[in-house]
Amino acid sequence: MQQFQNAKSGEIVLSLADRIIENRAYLSEIDGKIGDGDHGVNMAKGFGMAAERIKGTDMSLAEALDTLGTVLMTEIGGSMGPLYGVMFTQFAETIEKSDAIDATAFSTMLHNGLDGIQAIGSAKVGDKTLLDTLVPAITAFDTAIGSGKSFGEALQALVAAAEAGRDSTRDLVAKIGRASRLGERSLGVLDAGATSCALILTSLAEGVEPRLQSA
Amino acid sequence: MQRFINNPDEVVEDTVKGFVKAHADIVRLSAQNPRVIAARHTPVNGKVGVITGGGSGHEPAFIGYTGRNMLDAVAVGELFSSPTAKSFLDAAREANGGKGVVCLYGNYAGDNMNVKMAIKLAAKEGIEITTVVANDDVCSAGPEEREKRRGVAGEIFMWKCGAAKAAEGASLEEVRATAQKAIDNCRSIGVGLGPCTLPSVGHPNFTIEPGTMEVGIGHHGEPGVRVEPLRSARDVAEEMAKIVLDDHQLAAGSEVAVIVSGLGATPLNELYILHDTIESEIAGRGLTIYRVYIGNYFTSLEMVGATLTVMALDDELKRLLDVDVQCPAML
């Protein structure tokens, strides 16, 4: 069975922050097509602030996720502040007492993050939001583990499903948030939240994979 | 962009700094949170606190309505972006005089989520927050889905009446119910003639072609119900009044209060031109105007355009509208 160490894995969150910051302009550009165009700016601001606090600290993954979630929730606002803020703090709470994280713990962490989002937002799959990325990605991870795949293989399934979920938003009409006011005009454009969520999940998987060891 | 800004990413910080200096006799910055403005006299022991919050760029809303007999505290968001849950919580802390806090805000996804989280956090420290969500923008959803409509300039009447009720010493539930009645009695419509630009983005994120107008536009440029060739002010005002009053269905003889607000880049004279016709249309339906507010009461950066808000009055709302206030937006 594969697992990775919680301690000193805070660097995973640093590369996640780098990924968001690199995509600042891209995320704002797609947001600008059906939203107000500040998704990349706000995400980069929050993830950048969190990265500054994590750098050089030797944090565990749980500590780094908690730092990121708290910054998003207390300093960013908008819609993404509370949504990602609650997701990352829930991730952190789930794993804070675990020294080693196996596929079961990782799955529980993802589910608790999703539950947190669903407790404050009212979106469903198909509404053209980040849930269109997150929900199928979690399902793909669980399905892979359930069919006997390794943690590493399940992470690959998670990434593939996240990307497919993100792409599915191109053909959806927004049902919630500012883009929902556009009706049919939101067709043909990726949802910015679904896109940033795919970046987050991919980066998380890429950070975990090389750290996996047999227990 | 021809603008008076320092750093495009620090527009809100710089706005708040100047605002607090300009109105130091009425407001103060929260010592705990640079994104919370409170009335100087707040909190008042034994009085229900009244707060709001929202994205910046709508000045004088939201901060300008902080003051005596008005809002006790306001959470300040980035331009067009909801304040954080922490800022809503800190606003509630500043406003809490021990009888609970009413948060009166607009119906936007981010605000809904951040307020919801703030309520949870406040409950942990024993502060009860109740809410009223504004939904006066007629064109943002049909009458059968009124709960989906967004809040626009009708929020000003909701704050005014709710805050005046709180100032009279009413209970949390009484303040909430009065604010709810005020917004239930409001209908608003916006017409846009030109877009606005977020400084950090640098270009307009929607367009209104010269010679056209967008009927039903929202306070962030949310699309309206139709784009039409721009007509005379008389025709536009007739249509705005028709959309609002048809939705309102007020009995002849009713009294109303009216706000005609510019969206940021429309001169005051044009608002008076619109009001000339709006007044005739309202009177033509047998309604009496009790009070009119004309000016830049709720703007959208430099959007060209105007909104009309009509609130139906009863004796209580008339009395509450008449209560004197001291706040920067209504001096």
Side-chain angles (χ1 to χ4, degrees):
Chain A
M1 198 181 64
Q2 293 178 303
Q3 60 181 31
F4 69 100
Q5 296 303 310
N6 196 349
K8 299 180 195 273
S9 291
E11 279 175 12
I12 295 174
V13 177
L14 285 180
S15 23
L16 201 162
D18 284 345
R19 182 72 71 89
I20 292 294
I21 293 162
E22 281 159 27
N23 283 280
R24 181 185 194 268
Y26 173 63
L27 289 173
S28 277
E29 185 199 319
I30 53 176
D31 182 38
K33 291 179 181 166
I34 53 170
D36 57 13
D38 64 359
H39 187 60
V41 177
N42 286 334
M43 292 288 283
K45 190 173 168 189
F47 283 68
M49 282 162 65
E52 287 306 313
R53 293 178 202 183
I54 297 167
K55 263 178 207 154
T57 57
D58 231 17
M59 281 189 191
S60 68
L61 179 60
E63 287 165 335
L65 287 170
D66 184 60
T67 302
L68 175 58
T70 304
V71 166
L72 294 177
M73 210 159 4
T74 58
E75 318 252 358
I76 295 305
S79 294
M80 285 304 141
L83 287 170
Y84 282 140
V86 83
M87 182 178 90
F88 287 119
T89 46
Q90 293 282 84
F91 282 2
E93 272 182 37
T94 314
I95 60 167
E96 67 186 353
K97 297 202 169 63
S98 312
D99 293 335
I101 298 155
D102 62 11
T104 308
F106 194 78
S107 169
T108 308
M109 175 187 103
L110 295 173
H111 279 281
N112 287 348
L114 173 63
D115 289 348
I117 288 175
Q118 288 178 324
I120 57 160
S122 53
K124 300 182 294 295
V125 171
D127 287 350
K128 199 174 180 111
T129 72
L130 69 92
L131 290 185
D132 291 306
T133 298
L134 185 57
V135 172
I138 297 176
T139 306
F141 184 85
D142 289 347
T143 306
I145 295 297
S147 62
K149 300 271 173 60
S150 70
F151 194 166
E153 287 166 328
L155 286 171
Q156 288 167 11
L158 171 134
V159 168
E163 288 172 352
R166 170 198 65 202
D167 294 343
S168 77
T169 63
R170 206 187 295 275
D171 300 321
L172 293 172
V173 175
K175 299 268 173 51
I176 207 154
R178 203 163 293 167
S180 67
R181 314 289 187 191
L182 288 162
E184 300 283 322
R185 281 158 67 187
S186 66
L187 274 173
V189 182
L190 286 179
D191 176 65
T195 306
S196 59
C197 187
L199 287 170
I200 289 167
L201 293 175
T202 304
S203 181
L204 195 59
E206 285 171 356
V208 169
E209 218 176 337
R211 292 166 186 268
L212 291 177
Q213 300 158 336
S214 295
Chain B
M1 283 190 298
Q2 288 277 94
R3 282 189 166 170
F4 293 121
I5 56 175
N6 299 313
N7 177 339
D9 290 330
E10 288 170 12
V11 170
V12 175
E13 283 78 2
D14 292 352
T15 305
V16 165
K17 280 192 270 180
F19 177 82
V20 173
K21 282 182 183 171
H23 305 293
D25 54 331
I26 305 173
V27 304
R28 61 183 171 83
L29 192 62
S30 161
Q32 320 309 321
N33 188 328
R35 290 300 183 93
V36 172
I37 303 274
R40 280 212 77 82
H41 64 276
T42 300
V44 177
N45 274 339
K47 185 183 92 66
V48 169
V50 182
I51 66 169
T52 191
S56 296
H58 302 296
E59 288 70 25
F62 297 75
I63 51 178
Y65 297 92
T66 317
R68 193 172 54 82
N69 293 343
M70 270 301 262
L71 300 169
D72 292 297
V74 175
V76 179
E78 266 307 311
L79 290 167
F80 288 5
S81 189
S82 170
T84 62
K86 181 170 187 302
S87 293
F88 277 111
L89 171 65
D90 286 336
R93 286 169 167 160
E94 294 288 350
N96 180 35
K99 281 184 74 178
V101 173
V102 186
C103 181
L104 309 173
Y105 69 102
N107 200 7
Y108 297 87
D111 295 327
N112 281 321
M113 289 187 279
N114 284 295
V115 169
K116 205 169 180 178
M117 295 196 54
I119 290 172
K120 277 191 197 169
L121 298 169
K124 287 185 190 164
E125 46 193 88
I127 303 175
E128 186 184 357
I129 305 182
T130 63
T131 61
V132 180
V133 181
N135 57 351
D136 52 306
D137 191 344
V138 171
C139 289
S140 55
E144 71 290 346
E145 291 187 306
R146 240 205 115 192
E147 76 288 349
K148 287 192 179 170
R149 289 180 177 175
R150 58 200 172 219
V152 285
E155 291 184 51
I156 297 165
F157 283 144
M158 170 175 74
W159 301 328
K160 175 77 183 74
C161 296
K165 185 79 178 176
E168 288 181 346
S171 70
L172 186 64
E173 174 49 28
E174 287 166 341
V175 175
R176 194 207 60 75
T178 297
Q180 183 71 59
K181 177 171 72 176
I183 200 67
D184 285 347
N185 283 11
C186 283
R187 299 290 186 284
S188 298
I189 164 86
V191 172
L193 309 186
C196 57
T197 294
L198 286 170
S200 60
V201 176
H203 55 83
N205 59 351
F206 64 104
T207 51
I208 298 175
E209 296 298 332
T212 67
M213 61 177 176
E214 182 131 4
V215 177
I217 197 164
H219 266 156
H220 311 94
E222 293 95 335
V225 285
R226 56 184 175 270
V227 176
E228 297 179 354
L230 176 58
R231 288 175 284 142
S232 69
R234 184 173 295 111
D235 285 356
V236 176
E238 273 177 19
E239 180 154 5
M240 290 171 84
K242 182 178 186 326
I243 288 172
V244 162
L245 297 173
D246 282 357
D247 195 84
H248 226 159
Q249 300 284 331
L250 298 175
S254 303
E255 284 185 283
V256 298
V258 172
I259 301 171
V260 181
S261 177
L263 287 174
T266 289
L268 275 178
N269 70 316
E270 295 179 25
L271 302 181
Y272 284 112
I273 292 172
L274 288 172
H275 186 66
D276 180 41
T277 302
I278 288 169
E279 192 278 340
S280 304
E281 290 295 307
I282 291 175
R285 298 207 183 199
L287 309 173
T288 309
I289 297 181
Y290 181 68
R291 198 182 264 269
V292 185
Y293 299 83
I294 295 197
N296 287 316
Y297 282 98
F298 204 130
T299 63
S300 300
L301 295 174
E302 81 285 28
M303 206 189 292
V304 186
T307 63
L308 166 65
T309 299
V310 175
M311 175 168 71
L313 298 173
D314 62 9
D315 289 342
E316 182 188 37
L317 294 176
K318 272 167 70 174
R319 183 186 83 240
L320 296 172
L321 266 192
D322 284 343
V323 170
D324 273 342
V325 294
Q326 188 192 27
C327 68
M330 294 180 126
L331 286 174

